Amino acid sequence: MEIKVADLQNRKTKVHKLSGGMKQRLGIAQTLLNNPKVLIVDEPTVGLDPEERLRFYSLLDEFSSDRVVIVSSHIVGDIESVCENVAVLDAGKLLYAGTIKQLSQMANGKVFELTVPKAEQAIVKQNYYTLSSQSHLSNTKIRVLSDCVPTMGHPVSCAPTVEDGYMELLRSLEKGGLK
């Protein structure tokens, strides 16, 4: 990670007086000092601004070329940016292990975007596993998971994301197991 002039200006500042992002960067630097063969990072981008996140992703990419890097995060963007393989754990139980692409493909053919009047939004949420919703004037666009093509809201099939695959994994577990 390159050093910025702003970082040098804070070199004599007590750690407890640094901002959250500066503390995070200091922790990353301390971790890398001993050139570890295995690096485990937990929620590594918390407190980093978008520019620092990109720099950190680049650093992890370089670092992982000849080392094992394990990332624990709830931020799907972090996982997508730095991981090829992923494991999903719940209370120490392994729910999934595979590639990022395989995880996203769990939702293949099951992700739809519906556009409905705002008054029908609650009905959609009752009948379908809702991923997200966004209001647009008098309508709402709702992204849902469904095993079959929804019957309302002019459904449009969508390419699944890693987050969609993760949500399908959870939905499958709620329904009683993976297919």
Side-chain angles (χ1 to χ4, degrees):
M1 190 175 268
E2 63 189 56
I3 298 174
K4 291 181 172 181
V5 173
D7 295 340
L8 293 175
Q9 293 171 347
N10 290 308
R11 69 183 179 270
K12 292 185 180 183
T13 303
K14 302 271 185 207
V15 173
H16 72 276
K17 293 192 177 201
L18 294 174
S19 70
M22 292 288 286
K23 287 178 186 175
Q24 187 76 342
R25 290 189 353 231
L26 176 62
I28 292 165
Q30 287 174 319
T31 299
L32 299 178
L33 280 175
N34 291 323
N35 201 22
K37 294 295 178 204
V38 176
L39 177 65
I40 301 172
V41 291
D42 183 27
E43 304 288 353
T45 62
V46 170
L48 298 181
D49 63 40
E51 179 185 7
E52 288 299 321
R53 279 179 193 250
L54 293 174
R55 284 177 51 196
F56 181 71
Y57 295 154
S58 178
L59 176 71
L60 274 188
D61 186 50
E62 286 176 39
F63 197 80
S64 68
S65 65
D66 61 347
R67 296 171 185 87
V68 174
V69 177
I70 299 171
V71 179
S72 172
S73 182
H74 291 89
I75 302 170
V76 175
D78 284 355
I79 302 300
E80 284 180 299
S81 295
V82 300
C83 299
E84 293 175 25
N85 296 295
V86 63
V88 177
L89 302 170
D90 181 33
K93 181 181 174 192
L94 181 65
L95 301 180
Y96 171 84
T99 67
I100 290 286
K101 184 175 181 173
Q102 290 167 331
L103 180 59
S104 67
Q105 291 304 303
M106 290 184 78
N108 197 32
K110 298 179 180 185
V111 182
F112 300 91
E113 185 176 89
L114 312 174
T115 301
V116 297
K118 283 186 181 179
E120 294 178 22
Q121 181 176 347
I123 298 168
V124 171
K125 290 184 176 185
Q126 286 174 351
N127 292 302
Y128 299 101
Y129 195 96
T130 303
L131 297 168
S132 65
S133 63
Q134 190 174 32
S135 293
H136 295 281
L137 302 173
S138 62
N139 291 323
T140 302
K141 283 190 177 188
I142 305 174
R143 191 174 170 97
V144 300
L145 278 171
S146 177
D147 292 324
C148 56
V149 178
T151 57
M152 58 189 309
H154 306 292
V156 175
S157 182
C158 301
T161 65
V162 173
E163 191 165 341
D164 296 336
Y166 173 75
M167 296 307 290
E168 175 57 18
L169 173 68
L170 296 182
R171 185 173 81 112
S172 295
L173 292 168
E174 286 175 8
K175 291 190 312 187
L178 294 173
K179 293 181 180 176

